[in-house]
Amino acid sequence: MFVFSEHSACSVTPNMLGYGVDMASRTATELVHPDRAELRFTTVMAALSDPVRLAIVARLADLEPDGELACTALALPVSKSTQSGHFKVLREAGLIRQRDEKTWRMNQLRRDDLDARFPGVLDLAVRHGHEVIAGWAPVP
């Protein structure tokens, strides 16, 4: 019997026969993204209240306007399962859009939606996210 974590937001797994599966979550849940009109200020601010999530937002902002980055491409100082939880919070708050491509979960900042709903908030978050990144010790 196999038991899978519910927090696999950034991994795509092969099925038991080794063939790729077109779903990225081990729980096979659909990726949910709130519409622009559904974005809530308190939810966005709560998502931005964590330094790791601020750093993720800042790194994605560096790739704009159309840049995407796989979850695994971000060198974060937390475990893979913790990273997955952070990406889930950001996606459900409407800060990022995620899509699956082969074995990767690609992430893109939803700048247009956020700037339309909450002008200036994202710029402030990105600036503070860069400060967080600057404070991290380089990986040896």
Side-chain angles (χ1 to χ4, degrees):
M1 181 169 118
F2 295 96
V3 179
F4 296 114
S5 168
E6 291 184 14
H7 301 290
S8 56
C10 288
S11 61
V12 176
T13 58
N15 65 16
M16 291 175 60
L17 298 175
Y19 298 105
V21 178
D22 289 336
M23 64 187 94
S25 173
R26 290 183 182 190
T27 58
T29 56
E30 182 181 345
L31 293 174
V32 177
H33 300 92
D35 292 330
R36 179 184 287 187
E38 296 173 321
L39 299 179
R40 299 289 172 249
F41 182 76
T42 53
T43 306
V44 169
M45 294 306 290
L48 292 172
S49 68
D50 183 273
V52 172
R53 292 193 292 265
L54 275 175
I56 293 168
V57 167
R59 287 186 176 166
L60 291 173
D62 292 341
L63 304 173
E64 291 183 298
D66 297 319
E68 293 183 303
L69 200 57
C71 296
T72 56
L74 294 163
L76 300 171
V78 294
S79 69
K80 184 177 177 182
S81 62
T82 300
Q83 286 181 40
S84 293
H86 285 306
F87 282 103
K88 180 180 178 184
V89 168
L90 290 170
R91 183 187 73 245
E92 290 178 350
L95 285 153
I96 64 171
R97 182 163 308 281
Q98 292 186 308
R99 68 177 184 84
D100 300 328
E101 183 175 312
K102 298 183 182 181
T103 60
W104 302 288
R105 177 149 290 168
M106 304 303 291
N107 302 279
Q108 184 176 37
L109 193 60
R110 293 178 60 183
R111 177 169 291 275
D112 290 344
D113 291 337
L114 291 158
D115 285 346
R117 292 282 288 141
F118 314 113
V121 168
L122 198 53
D123 291 333
L124 185 61
V126 169
R127 186 167 59 244
H128 285 279
H130 283 128
E131 291 174 8
V132 168
I133 294 168
W136 288 342
V139 178

